[in-house]
Amino acid sequence: MIADERDASASRATSKGLARRDKIVDTATDLFLAQGYDAVTIDEVVRVVGGSKTSVYKTFGGKEGLLSESVQQMCTNFLIAFNQLDVSRLGPADGLRVLGATLMRTLLEDRHIAFQRLIIAVSGRFPELARVWFESGPGRSRAAIAAFIAAKQRSGELRPVAPDILAIQFHDMIVTNALYRALMGEKPAWPEVERWIDAAIDTLLHGCARAS
């Protein structure tokens, strides 16, 4: 009985600690997105969350550690809907359209645009963190597109061209222009994004050469 009570107490303490950790990261994330990395201080995070600076430093090692946790968490959260897609039963065009539309809806969210600006601002100072973003963000979405293309190649629906290269081409055709415009404050309308997705699919599946 005593052992059970100790286990329950330890479990509550662990849950409370994890909840507090999440609250600190969530608070820091909101501040980083709103103000930028340099403008945020540990004091400000503590004022919102409560507790002490000492506990924040002990848990995260400082503001850079908080930024790292924030970036990893945001990369995971942004791709939740994309990673949950099952397009295995769709044909190449329909599958790419679903993958592309789901990805672009996420990337054009205001919160993601703010996140992209944050990454650009800190990438020169923290190249390892930029690498984490790339591997967890574009790298992962490109890999999912490549896996879909490879599956359609195995089924004979697509010819055997390097799927990783095709995935990069498709990803960048639909992402680059839209994201650049959004970063400049000129977020494209959704029908325009859909046209770019359809054009990228047509280019990927049929090319641009005139039929002989």
Side-chain angles (χ1 to χ4, degrees):
M1 180 67 69
I2 294 177
D4 290 343
E5 291 175 353
R6 287 175 178 172
D7 290 344
S9 178
S11 177
R12 285 194 296 272
T14 300
S15 297
K16 185 176 180 180
L18 291 174
R20 176 169 175 75
R21 178 189 176 91
D22 289 343
K23 186 176 181 180
I24 292 171
V25 174
D26 289 344
T27 298
T29 297
D30 290 341
L31 291 171
F32 288 143
L33 292 179
Q35 302 178 24
Y37 177 74
D38 289 330
V40 176
T41 65
I42 297 296
D43 287 326
E44 189 174 8
V45 174
V46 171
R47 277 198 299 272
V48 176
V49 178
S52 68
K53 288 174 64 175
T54 301
S55 64
V56 174
Y57 276 98
K58 183 177 180 180
T59 303
F60 300 99
K63 192 167 75 166
E64 184 179 344
L66 262 178
L67 178 64
S68 178
E69 289 286 339
S70 296
V71 168
Q72 293 181 60
Q73 184 180 89
M74 282 189 282
C75 284
T76 298
N77 291 342
F78 284 131
L79 286 180
I80 287 175
F82 184 80
N83 289 332
Q84 290 176 343
L85 289 174
D86 181 4
V87 292
S88 59
R89 296 185 179 182
L90 298 178
D94 288 339
L96 288 171
R97 187 171 293 107
V98 171
L99 288 167
T102 303
L103 180 63
M104 291 308 299
R105 287 192 184 279
T106 296
L107 298 189
L108 291 176
E109 291 176 0
D110 290 343
R111 188 172 177 83
H112 181 267
I113 299 304
F115 172 63
Q116 196 74 39
R117 291 192 177 107
L118 176 66
I119 289 296
I120 292 171
V122 303
S123 59
R125 205 179 330 174
F126 307 122
E128 183 57 38
L129 191 57
R131 189 174 298 110
V132 169
W133 158 76
F134 184 82
E135 292 174 352
S136 302
R140 189 165 296 178
S141 53
R142 286 173 174 178
I145 295 168
F148 174 74
I149 291 172
K152 296 307 164 183
Q153 290 174 335
R154 289 192 296 272
S155 66
E157 295 171 83
L158 292 175
R159 61 190 179 91
V161 179
D164 55 334
I165 294 176
L166 293 179
I168 291 172
Q169 292 172 339
F170 177 71
H171 178 279
D172 292 1
M173 277 192 287
I174 67 173
V175 169
T176 304
N177 186 51
L179 198 53
Y180 281 170
R181 285 180 54 180
L183 287 169
M184 293 187 294
E186 302 173 359
K187 187 187 297 187
W190 184 250
E192 190 174 12
V193 176
E194 288 182 314
R195 287 196 296 272
W196 293 338
I197 293 172
D198 286 341
I201 292 170
D202 187 61
T203 299
L204 185 70
L205 298 184
H206 306 117
C208 296
R210 185 184 298 276
S212 57

